[in-house]
Amino acid sequence: MTTSLRVLKSAGLLLGMQLVQHRPGIISTLILARLLLPEHFGVVALVVIALQFFELLMEIGNQHYIIQKTEVTEADLNTAWNMNIVIKSTMFIFILFLVPFLADFFETPELTAAVAAITLPLGATAPNHGA
């Protein structure tokens, strides 16, 4: 198999994975659009922005490191898993500390409770593609 064909297959696989991963987000957005009052959409948008920002900070790249290795040992996987737990736990504490300041900045007190209620389950169930 040529390198270009392998790259095309990999790109197709990644695109398919992204579509499958984002399907629940699209479905939940449609459900929220039906259930929420118009004044709540601003809070939802702020929660999504805050969570995506913190999710970006949680991405440490250990998946890419493991994928690039030609031989992956159990120690590599254990280290990546432990790093994930430590980083996500630290970010959860950081989020809980920072969200009240964000709520004050955006003058939206509901933001604190919403982000705190959503952050832990999302961080705990986020797929870990490499470790």
Side-chain angles (χ1 to χ4, degrees):
M1 181 180 316
T2 66
T3 303
S4 59
L5 184 59
R6 288 175 42 195
V7 168
L8 285 175
K9 284 185 176 183
S10 297
L13 180 62
L14 287 173
L15 178 64
M17 286 174 44
Q18 289 293 325
L19 290 174
V20 169
Q21 286 178 348
H22 291 291
R23 187 179 321 158
I26 294 169
I27 292 170
S28 66
T29 301
L30 292 174
I31 292 170
L32 284 174
R34 180 72 177 138
L35 296 177
L36 291 179
L37 298 173
E39 57 268 12
H40 294 139
F41 278 103
V43 175
V44 172
L46 289 173
V47 168
V48 170
I49 289 169
L51 290 178
Q52 287 182 347
F53 172 71
F54 291 118
E55 185 177 316
L56 178 69
L57 292 177
M58 280 191 274
E59 184 61 42
I60 58 175
N62 58 7
Q63 303 96 309
H64 304 292
Y65 171 73
I66 289 175
I67 289 171
Q68 290 178 356
K69 288 190 71 152
T70 55
E71 187 175 319
V72 179
T73 66
E74 190 171 334
D76 292 330
L77 296 176
N78 288 338
T79 301
W81 187 82
N82 288 329
M83 285 177 58
N84 244 356
I85 295 296
V86 169
I87 295 294
K88 287 185 178 184
S89 299
T90 303
M91 284 306 299
F92 174 69
I93 292 167
F94 182 66
I95 290 169
L96 288 181
F97 173 74
L98 192 61
V99 165
F101 298 109
L102 287 174
D104 287 343
F105 178 76
F106 289 116
E107 298 174 356
T108 310
E110 302 90 8
L111 184 64
T112 303
V115 171
I118 294 173
T119 303
L120 182 60
L122 285 181
T125 61
N128 191 359
H129 304 292

